[in-house]
């Protein structure tokens, strides 16, 4: 039986709703052999996940880094990097600080319009890295919207929406170099997820490959067949590996663990390029 490998998931350390210990248990129950924990801009969930790792499951420690390229927001998956390497650790800290300031501003804009949401409440909803899904939950709790999906529209906190505030993200080419400098491997997360906002052109992916990008996340819920075909072709042309993953967020999104997976050869290739950290096996 080939190993079942899911390389992109979130826990309560960022905007998922499943604590890290439960996430690894659920991953094994879902039939996975390898799970990557990739919370937004943080490594805070790693220790709990590793301590609770069930027999038969391997843990890839990672993070999803908030990046920008020419004003377009994009996400970079960073795997198996040394969390103590200071240059990259400092930047993750800055990213989290920028997220705090911007979430507080979004709450302020909502409150200015008389909507009953408070910063205390949002901070309580966010156990780790704060994100728009926590603000969305506050909007649901206040009865202002019915779903996270509805909160992510132009009337509320959708990108460039009425109560949306941007954050200071990392230039993606700098991010790729920082990940490499910490011994890690980087993969471009959901490169063609157009429903979340603008996406970058192939020219940016070419530049990312030149800067040391290892792969493209192709099999993802936000990619249609055409996007996948195009990305697979691009990966082949640029010598990039291809991954697939659930981008699981617990009840914040409908997608289950292991919905999309990565093939064994790509996974082994990815791991072989890392020098920062080993994979954890129970
Ligand atoms: P932020 O990183 O704070 O800007 O929030 C973006 C996060 O919100 C993404 O990582 C997703 O987890 C989530 N998200 C983005 N778009 C949607 C959407 N349309 N519906 C639900 N969740 C979304
Ligand atoms: Fe998220
Ligand atoms: Fe993402
Ligand atoms: Zn994600």
């Amino acid at each position: 039986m080939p190993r079942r490998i899911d390389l992109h998931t979130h826990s309560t350390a960022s905007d998922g709703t499943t604590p890290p210990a439960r996430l690894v248990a659920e991953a094994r129950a879902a039939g996975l052999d390898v799970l990557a924990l990739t919370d937004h801009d943080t490594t805070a969930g790693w220790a709990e996940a590793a301590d609770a790792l069930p027999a038969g499951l391997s843990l890839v420690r990672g993070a999803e880094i908030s990046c920008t390229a020419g004003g377009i927001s994009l996400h970079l998956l960073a795997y198996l990097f040394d969390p103590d390497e200071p240059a990259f650790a400092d930047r993750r800290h800055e990213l989290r600080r920028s997220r705090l300031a911007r979430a507080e501003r979004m709450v302020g804009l909502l409150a200015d319009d008389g909507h009953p949401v408070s910063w205390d409440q949002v901070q309580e909803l966010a156990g780790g890295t704060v994100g728009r899904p926590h603000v969305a939950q506050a909007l649901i709790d206040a009865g202002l919207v019915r779903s996270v999906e509805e909160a992510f529209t132009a009337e509320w906190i959708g990108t460039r929406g009425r109560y949306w505030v941007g954050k200071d993200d990392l230039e993606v080419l700098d991010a790729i170099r920082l990940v490499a400098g910490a011994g890690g491997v980087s993969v471009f997360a959901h490169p063609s997820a157009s429903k979340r906002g603008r996406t970058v052109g192939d020219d940016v992916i070419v530049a990312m490959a030149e800067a040391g990008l290892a792969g493209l996340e192709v099999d993802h819920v936000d990619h249609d067949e055409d996007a996948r075909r195009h990305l697979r072709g691009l990966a082949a042309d640029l010598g990039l590996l291809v991954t697939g993953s659930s981008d699981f967020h617990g009840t914040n999104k409908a997608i289950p663990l292991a919905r999309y997976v990565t093939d064994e050869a790509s996974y082994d290739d990815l791991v072989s390029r890392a020098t920062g950290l080993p994979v954890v096996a129970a």
Side-chain angles (χ1 to χ4, degrees):
M1 272 267 286
R3 287 166 292 166
R4 306 251 311 147
I5 302 160
D6 188 341
L7 290 181
H8 182 172
T9 67
H10 298 264
S11 75
T12 48
S14 66
D15 58 7
T17 57
T18 312
R22 217 172 75 216
L23 181 66
V24 290
E26 287 183 13
R28 191 62 189 137
L32 285 170
D33 302 285
V34 179
L35 178 82
L37 177 61
T38 53
D39 278 303
H40 294 287
D41 305 318
T42 187
T43 63
W46 288 3
E48 184 186 316
D51 287 348
L53 203 61
L57 185 70
S58 295
L59 176 70
V60 175
R61 289 167 287 183
E64 185 174 17
I65 307 300
S66 306
C67 296
T68 179
I72 296 175
S73 138
L74 66 163
H75 290 171
L76 189 74
L77 291 161
Y79 297 109
L80 302 171
F81 57 87
D82 172 3
D84 298 324
E85 188 283 316
F88 187 32
D90 280 356
R91 303 313 288 271
R92 291 194 304 280
H93 184 80
E94 279 174 31
L95 289 169
R96 295 194 299 274
R97 211 171 42 197
S98 167
R99 282 173 162 282
L100 266 175
R102 80 69 113 109
E104 191 171 6
R105 279 185 62 202
M106 287 194 285
V107 170
L109 292 175
L110 285 158
D112 286 349
D113 272 1
H115 297 304
V117 294
S118 75
W119 180 228
D120 278 353
Q121 177 196 1
V122 171
Q123 279 181 295
E124 209 156 294
L125 286 164
T129 305
V130 68
R132 280 182 287 168
H134 302 113
V135 180
Q137 189 57 52
L139 292 172
I140 293 170
D141 292 350
L144 295 163
V145 299
R146 272 159 309 206
S147 64
V148 175
E149 214 45 57
E150 191 183 341
F152 272 87
T153 57
E155 277 161 79
W156 298 100
I157 56 169
T159 303
R160 285 171 244 283
R162 176 148 188 191
Y163 299 104
W164 173 81
V165 177
K167 52 188 175 18
D168 296 326
D169 294 334
L170 262 180
E171 278 298 331
V172 72
L173 300 185
D174 292 340
I176 290 168
R177 293 185 194 109
L178 283 161
V179 172
V185 181
S186 43
V187 170
F188 187 178
H190 46 74
S192 305
S194 53
K195 75 164 195 190
R196 297 160 182 239
R198 286 185 294 159
T199 57
V200 298
D202 290 354
D203 55 324
V204 172
I205 298 180
V206 170
M208 288 168 73
E210 282 166 1
L213 183 75
L216 300 179
E217 186 182 55
V218 172
D219 291 312
H220 184 280
V221 65
D222 292 348
H223 291 164
D224 61 20
E225 266 316 311
D226 280 351
R228 289 175 204 207
R229 198 173 313 114
H230 178 75
L231 288 169
R232 262 183 233 290
L234 196 58
D237 289 348
L238 297 172
L240 299 172
L241 56 85
V242 160
T243 69
S245 37
S246 64
D247 200 357
F248 178 75
H249 279 73
T251 57
N252 270 342
K253 285 190 187 169
I255 187 98
L257 280 164
R259 176 66 184 78
Y260 298 103
V261 291
T262 297
D263 71 70
E264 294 188 282
S266 296
Y267 170 67
D268 290 338
D269 185 359
L270 188 156
V271 171
S272 76
R273 298 183 198 204
T275 56
L277 281 181
V279 173
V280 186

XYZ file of all heavy atoms in Angstrom, residues 124-191:
504
model
N -9.795 36.119 22.148
C -10.141 34.876 22.820
C -10.379 33.742 21.812
O -10.036 32.595 22.055
C -11.399 35.092 23.653
C -11.485 34.196 24.863
C -12.377 34.821 25.930
O -11.997 35.878 26.466
O -13.447 34.258 26.167
N -10.955 34.104 20.655
C -11.215 33.105 19.610
C -9.907 32.615 18.990
O -9.825 31.490 18.507
C -12.108 33.710 18.522
C -13.582 33.902 18.901
C -14.278 34.847 17.912
C -14.304 32.558 18.942
N -8.880 33.466 18.992
C -7.594 33.118 18.390
C -6.658 32.602 19.482
O -6.172 33.370 20.298
C -6.993 34.343 17.707
N -6.394 31.303 19.472
C -5.475 30.753 20.464
C -4.030 30.948 20.068
O -3.121 30.813 20.883
N -3.793 31.262 18.796
C -2.421 31.422 18.301
C -2.404 32.566 17.303
O -2.958 33.627 17.568
N -1.795 32.326 16.122
C -1.767 33.342 15.066
C -3.188 33.796 14.739
O -4.035 32.975 14.386
C -1.138 32.754 13.779
O 0.156 32.235 14.092
C -1.019 33.810 12.704
N -3.447 35.092 14.845
C -4.794 35.585 14.560
C -4.980 35.758 13.050
O -4.050 36.108 12.325
C -5.065 36.916 15.317
C -4.211 38.044 14.780
C -6.539 37.280 15.267
N -6.195 35.478 12.571
C -6.488 35.622 11.148
C -7.934 36.006 10.942
O -8.732 36.028 11.889
N -8.274 36.294 9.690
C -9.645 36.687 9.393
C -10.679 35.640 9.804
O -11.803 36.006 10.164
C -9.780 37.044 7.913
C -9.291 38.447 7.614
C -9.484 38.786 6.158
N -8.531 38.073 5.320
C -8.614 38.008 3.987
N -9.638 38.568 3.355
N -7.684 37.385 3.299
N -10.366 34.327 9.760
C -11.381 33.369 10.218
C -11.819 33.616 11.668
O -12.961 33.316 12.016
C -10.685 32.014 10.057
C -9.764 32.230 8.902
C -9.233 33.636 9.114
N -10.945 34.170 12.507
C -11.345 34.472 13.888
C -12.304 35.665 13.915
O -13.267 35.669 14.675
C -10.108 34.762 14.753
C -9.128 33.637 14.765
N -7.881 33.721 14.198
C -9.245 32.360 15.227
C -7.254 32.563 14.325
N -8.055 31.723 14.942
N -12.026 36.653 13.086
C -12.949 37.790 12.975
C -14.281 37.290 12.402
O -15.357 37.699 12.853
C -12.342 38.907 12.085
C -13.295 40.087 11.978
C -10.989 39.362 12.633
N -14.188 36.375 11.438
C -15.410 35.797 10.847
C -16.244 35.109 11.921
O -17.474 35.248 11.949
C -15.033 34.803 9.745
N -15.596 34.381 12.807
C -16.320 33.685 13.881
C -17.005 34.692 14.807
O -18.147 34.474 15.239
C -15.361 32.790 14.675
C -16.046 31.867 15.674
C -17.080 30.943 15.020
O -16.771 30.258 14.040
N -18.309 30.947 15.516
N -16.338 35.808 15.067
C -16.951 36.850 15.902
C -18.186 37.427 15.204
O -19.190 37.727 15.855
C -15.935 37.949 16.209
N -18.111 37.566 13.879
C -19.265 38.065 13.113
C -20.424 37.073 13.182
O -21.589 37.465 13.285
C -18.871 38.320 11.653
C -17.889 39.467 11.399
C -17.432 39.488 9.940
C -18.530 40.812 11.753
N -20.093 35.779 13.130
C -21.130 34.741 13.254
C -21.738 34.784 14.656
O -22.963 34.792 14.813
C -20.540 33.337 12.960
C -20.123 33.229 11.495
C -21.550 32.241 13.322
C -19.312 31.984 11.167
N -20.875 34.846 15.660
C -21.357 34.855 17.054
C -22.261 36.070 17.319
O -23.180 35.998 18.135
C -20.182 34.869 18.041
C -19.391 33.563 18.004
O -19.870 32.600 17.370
O -18.296 33.528 18.592
N -21.977 37.181 16.624
C -22.788 38.391 16.806
C -24.067 38.343 15.969
O -24.861 39.288 15.997
C -21.957 39.618 16.445
N -24.225 37.265 15.185
C -25.431 37.138 14.357
C -25.414 38.029 13.122
O -26.450 38.250 12.496
N -24.235 38.535 12.747
C -24.145 39.450 11.606
C -24.051 38.708 10.275
O -24.486 39.220 9.245
C -22.934 40.369 11.785
C -23.043 41.324 12.978
C -21.688 41.899 13.347
C -24.024 42.454 12.662
N -23.454 37.522 10.306
C -23.387 36.668 9.109
C -23.711 35.243 9.542
O -23.657 34.923 10.727
C -21.984 36.691 8.445
C -21.603 38.085 7.982
C -20.921 36.139 9.394
N -24.046 34.402 8.559
C -24.413 33.033 8.907
C -23.258 32.052 8.773
O -23.310 30.951 9.294
C -25.576 32.558 8.020
C -26.943 32.911 8.601
C -27.971 32.902 7.531
N -27.475 33.727 6.422
C -28.251 34.347 5.545
N -29.541 34.207 5.595
N -27.731 35.086 4.587
N -22.213 32.432 8.009
C -21.136 31.476 7.757
C -19.816 32.206 7.570
O -19.800 33.424 7.297
C -21.440 30.683 6.477
O -21.457 31.575 5.371
N -18.721 31.448 7.695
C -17.389 31.999 7.425
C -17.350 32.510 5.982
O -16.833 33.588 5.696
C -16.303 30.919 7.655
C -14.927 31.444 7.272
C -16.305 30.457 9.104
N -17.939 31.722 5.108
C -18.001 32.063 3.674
C -18.625 33.456 3.474
O -18.117 34.280 2.714
C -18.848 30.978 2.986
C -18.469 30.582 1.582
C -17.000 30.374 1.326
O -16.341 29.542 1.998
O -16.508 31.060 0.420
N -19.731 33.717 4.187
C -20.418 35.008 4.050
C -19.548 36.146 4.619
O -19.562 37.267 4.092
C -21.771 34.957 4.771
C -22.646 36.166 4.451
C -23.977 36.162 5.218
O -24.403 35.092 5.716
O -24.573 37.250 5.322
N -18.797 35.855 5.664
C -17.912 36.882 6.225
C -16.837 37.287 5.218
O -16.390 38.437 5.197
C -17.264 36.377 7.512
N -16.440 36.327 4.352
C -15.375 36.581 3.373
C -15.916 37.199 2.084
O -15.434 36.893 1.006
C -14.603 35.291 3.073
C -13.454 35.063 4.025
C -13.659 34.404 5.229
C -12.188 35.527 3.731
C -12.610 34.211 6.120
C -11.135 35.335 4.613
C -11.345 34.682 5.817
N -16.934 38.056 2.182
C -17.454 38.751 1.007
C -17.089 40.232 1.116
O -16.620 40.699 2.157
C -18.988 38.600 0.908
O -19.578 39.095 2.119
C -19.385 37.145 0.700
N -17.344 40.959 0.021
C -16.959 42.376 -0.061
C -17.654 43.236 0.991
O -17.130 44.276 1.393
C -17.269 42.905 -1.459
N -18.828 42.817 1.451
C -19.535 43.601 2.475
C -18.860 43.516 3.827
O -19.115 44.340 4.702
C -20.949 43.055 2.646
C -21.947 43.558 1.645
C -23.143 42.624 1.631
O -23.979 42.725 2.536
O -23.185 41.762 0.726
N -18.062 42.482 4.047
C -17.450 42.277 5.352
C -15.932 42.271 5.244
O -15.343 43.308 4.970
C -18.023 41.004 6.004
C -19.498 41.115 6.240
C -20.508 40.580 5.472
C -20.150 41.869 7.288
N -21.723 40.942 5.988
C -21.542 41.725 7.098
C -19.697 42.630 8.362
C -22.468 42.328 7.950
C -20.610 43.226 9.214
C -21.982 43.073 9.013
N -15.296 41.133 5.422
C -13.825 41.130 5.506
C -13.153 40.396 4.353
O -11.992 40.024 4.438
C -13.355 40.555 6.863
C -13.934 39.149 7.087
C -13.738 41.502 8.012
C -13.309 38.417 8.262
N -13.904 40.191 3.248
C -13.270 39.654 2.040
C -12.162 40.597 1.582
O -12.174 41.788 1.907
N -11.191 40.057 0.829
C -10.047 40.866 0.393
C -10.519 42.142 -0.312
O -11.313 42.080 -1.231
C -9.142 40.021 -0.522
O -8.748 38.860 0.205
C -7.900 40.804 -0.945
N -10.024 43.271 0.173
C -10.407 44.621 -0.271
C -11.874 44.951 0.001
O -12.424 45.890 -0.562
C -10.053 44.833 -1.760
C -8.543 45.038 -1.947
C -8.094 45.045 -3.393
N -7.209 43.922 -3.669
C -5.937 43.875 -3.303
N -5.374 44.889 -2.693
N -5.196 42.814 -3.556
N -12.493 44.166 0.870
C -13.883 44.424 1.262
C -13.982 45.579 2.247
O -12.978 46.194 2.632
N -15.224 45.854 2.645
C -15.547 47.031 3.459
C -14.737 47.132 4.762
O -14.283 48.209 5.128
C -17.037 46.969 3.782
C -17.479 48.057 4.699
C -18.891 48.468 4.427
N -19.187 49.647 5.220
C -20.389 50.145 5.390
N -21.402 49.563 4.798
N -20.568 51.216 6.122
N -14.584 46.002 5.453
C -13.884 46.034 6.749
C -12.526 45.330 6.691
O -11.937 45.011 7.714
C -14.762 45.393 7.830
C -16.068 46.126 8.000
C -17.258 45.604 7.488
C -16.108 47.358 8.641
C -18.455 46.289 7.617
C -17.304 48.057 8.778
C -18.468 47.520 8.255
O -19.646 48.212 8.390
N -12.058 45.100 5.475
C -10.773 44.421 5.300
C -9.628 45.404 5.516
O -9.694 46.553 5.098
C -10.702 43.849 3.887
C -9.365 43.270 3.518
C -8.883 42.031 3.834
C -8.341 43.908 2.736
N -7.634 41.850 3.295
C -7.273 42.993 2.620
C -8.220 45.160 2.122
C -6.105 43.285 1.917
C -7.062 45.457 1.421
C -5.999 44.522 1.331
N -8.603 44.935 6.182
C -7.364 45.708 6.316
C -6.223 44.783 5.897
O -6.196 43.611 6.290
C -7.158 46.183 7.779
C -5.834 46.916 7.931
C -8.314 47.084 8.226
N -5.308 45.290 5.107
C -4.174 44.487 4.654
C -3.136 44.318 5.755
O -3.234 44.925 6.818
N -2.158 43.436 5.499
C -1.085 43.264 6.473
C 0.254 43.316 5.747
O 0.287 43.248 4.515
C -1.267 41.966 7.252
C -1.451 40.708 6.422
C -1.814 39.554 7.335
C -2.142 38.251 6.643
N -1.753 38.001 5.294
N 1.330 43.462 6.509
C 2.671 43.554 5.909
C 3.224 42.151 5.716
O 3.675 41.521 6.675
C 3.612 44.332 6.840
C 3.171 45.762 7.003
O 2.634 46.318 6.027
O 3.353 46.326 8.098
N 3.164 41.667 4.506
C 3.646 40.317 4.237
C 5.080 40.337 3.721
O 5.618 41.393 3.402
C 2.700 39.644 3.245
C 1.315 39.431 3.843
O 1.213 39.323 5.076
O 0.338 39.371 3.083
N 5.681 39.167 3.648
C 7.068 39.041 3.202
C 7.139 39.001 1.680
O 6.340 38.292 1.049
C 7.623 37.702 3.696
C 8.455 37.637 4.947
C 8.882 36.196 5.198
C 9.678 38.522 4.796
N 8.083 39.699 1.111
C 8.335 39.555 -0.329
C 8.657 38.091 -0.604
O 9.535 37.507 0.061
C 9.527 40.431 -0.749
C 9.176 41.871 -0.986
C 8.165 42.062 -2.117
O 8.138 41.225 -3.061
O 7.389 43.034 -2.041
N 7.974 37.498 -1.564
C 8.058 36.041 -1.686
C 9.465 35.544 -2.021
O 9.873 34.478 -1.545
C 6.993 35.496 -2.670
C 7.330 35.825 -4.128
C 6.827 33.993 -2.481
N 10.225 36.298 -2.802
C 11.576 35.826 -3.133
C 12.472 35.864 -1.891
O 13.304 34.977 -1.681
C 12.177 36.640 -4.277
C 11.389 36.602 -5.597
C 12.152 37.355 -6.692
C 11.091 35.173 -6.048
N 12.265 36.890 -1.043
C 12.988 36.943 0.233
C 12.589 35.754 1.108
O 13.432 35.153 1.782
C 12.661 38.235 0.997
C 13.217 39.476 0.306
O 14.141 39.322 -0.515
O 12.722 40.583 0.586
N 11.288 35.446 1.115
C 10.799 34.341 1.938
C 11.443 33.018 1.512
O 11.879 32.226 2.360
C 9.277 34.244 1.841
N 11.529 32.784 0.215
C 12.135 31.537 -0.280
C 13.590 31.440 0.175
O 14.053 30.383 0.620
C 12.015 31.463 -1.828
C 10.542 31.249 -2.221
C 12.908 30.365 -2.402
C 10.260 31.451 -3.700
N 14.299 32.567 0.129
C 15.709 32.564 0.557
C 15.826 32.368 2.064
O 16.738 31.699 2.552
C 16.392 33.853 0.111
C 16.503 33.937 -1.412
C 17.278 35.157 -1.886
N 17.047 35.348 -3.319
C 16.313 36.334 -3.844
N 15.785 37.265 -3.064
N 16.137 36.414 -5.152
N 14.887 32.953 2.819
C 14.905 32.774 4.279
C 14.648 31.316 4.653
O 15.286 30.772 5.562
C 13.841 33.667 4.933
C 14.197 35.154 5.047
C 12.941 35.994 5.259
C 15.190 35.381 6.187
N 13.703 30.685 3.977
C 13.395 29.275 4.245
C 14.632 28.424 3.949
O 15.038 27.577 4.760
C 12.187 28.793 3.398
C 11.990 27.284 3.538
C 10.910 29.539 3.796
N 15.258 28.676 2.800
C 16.460 27.914 2.427
C 17.578 28.162 3.438
O 18.299 27.227 3.820
C 16.904 28.301 1.018
N 17.696 29.404 3.904
C 18.731 29.759 4.873
C 18.552 29.049 6.203
O 19.495 28.909 6.981
N 17.313 28.619 6.475
C 17.036 27.879 7.707
C 16.981 26.370 7.435
O 16.490 25.602 8.264
C 15.712 28.361 8.323
N 17.492 25.964 6.276
C 17.555 24.525 5.961
C 16.233 23.922 5.517
O 16.097 22.698 5.449
N 15.260 24.769 5.212
C 13.935 24.265 4.854
C 13.703 24.160 3.358
O 14.563 24.513 2.545
N 12.532 23.662 3.019
C 12.121 23.448 1.633
C 10.823 24.219 1.420
O 9.932 24.162 2.272
C 11.875 21.948 1.376
C 11.474 21.688 -0.065
C 13.118 21.142 1.741
N 10.701 24.942 0.294
C 9.468 25.704 0.102
C 8.653 25.242 -1.093
O 9.184 24.849 -2.134
C 9.743 27.212 0.037
O 10.855 27.493 -0.746
N 7.344 25.301 -0.906
C 6.363 24.905 -1.917
C 5.317 26.022 -1.997
O 4.843 26.503 -0.959
C 5.685 23.565 -1.524
C 4.492 23.260 -2.429
C 6.697 22.415 -1.584
N 4.987 26.418 -3.199
C 3.985 27.476 -3.407
C 2.594 26.885 -3.138
O 2.150 25.997 -3.850
C 4.119 27.994 -4.850
C 3.280 29.207 -5.196
C 3.372 29.765 -6.470
C 2.424 29.811 -4.273
C 2.625 30.884 -6.821
C 1.670 30.935 -4.609
C 1.768 31.462 -5.892
N 1.904 27.396 -2.096
C 0.573 26.898 -1.732
C -0.488 27.413 -2.701
O -0.445 28.574 -3.108
C 0.222 27.353 -0.315
N -1.404 26.545 -3.083
C -2.552 26.901 -3.949
C -2.263 28.094 -4.876
O -2.899 29.149 -4.752
C -3.803 27.139 -3.096
C -3.598 27.996 -1.861
N -3.425 29.350 -1.914
C -3.543 27.675 -0.550
C -3.283 29.832 -0.695
N -3.338 28.829 0.157
N -1.333 27.919 -5.846
C -0.921 29.055 -6.687
C -2.067 29.658 -7.510
O -2.002 30.836 -7.873
C 0.120 28.441 -7.639
C 0.546 27.168 -7.009
C -0.606 26.676 -6.190
